[in-house]
Every structure is written in C-alpha cells, then in structure tokens.
Amino acid sequence: LQQGNQSIDYLLINYDPRMNYRAAIEEFPPEIWRETMEKTLVQTFSLIKMVWPQMQRQHFGRILFLVSLGFVR
C-alpha cells in the first residue's frame, strides 16, 4: 500500500474452510494442514497488518470476516 490520500474503510476477508482434501485426523497429511493454515491464518494476519496503520491514521476502519459453513452436513 502506498501512503497518501487513500482511505481504507473496510477489509473484507471471505473465508471458506472447505478443503479439497478430506481424511480422518490420523490420515491427514501435515503438509496439507500447513498449507491450509498458510492460506487462512497467515495470509489473513498479513492483510490485517498491511491495512492496520492506515486505519489507525484515519481513526476508522472495519475488518469483516465472512465464513462459509456450507460444508457442514
């Protein structure tokens, strides 16, 4: 992000926890779990960290999380 007269009012994080890989916990590969955590937690943290300073400067900002539960049976 470049500084200037830009305003960041909202950060929308649309999280869909459906994974293409399904297995019992004892069969679930650690590398797939790490990749899932990278895509969800680490990237989300990075986005928030990127916009947070601007939201603080403008004394306003909203971070919205949308989570799909469509995978629940």
Side-chain angles (χ1 to χ4, degrees):
L1 294 174
Q2 297 177 359
Q3 293 187 13
N5 293 331
Q6 298 174 352
S7 174
I8 300 172
D9 295 331
Y10 298 95
L11 172 62
L12 175 62
I13 298 168
N14 186 10
Y15 173 61
D16 186 352
R18 288 180 283 196
M19 292 186 279
N20 293 329
Y21 192 92
R22 298 206 190 267
I25 190 77
E26 62 272 7
E27 298 170 3
F28 204 96
E31 58 275 4
I32 303 269
W33 178 253
R34 278 191 288 278
E35 180 182 321
T36 301
M37 291 298 103
E38 174 68 30
K39 288 180 180 177
T40 56
L41 297 176
V42 175
Q43 290 178 7
T44 297
F45 174 79
S46 298
L47 284 170
I48 293 170
K49 189 171 172 114
M50 190 171 28
V51 301
W52 187 256
Q54 179 61 29
M55 288 180 169
Q56 283 188 309
R57 281 191 292 277
Q58 63 195 34
H59 302 286
F60 181 82
R62 299 290 185 258
I63 299 172
L64 306 169
F65 294 88
L66 298 179
V67 178
S68 171
L69 296 178
F71 71 98
V72 177
R73 294 182 196 185

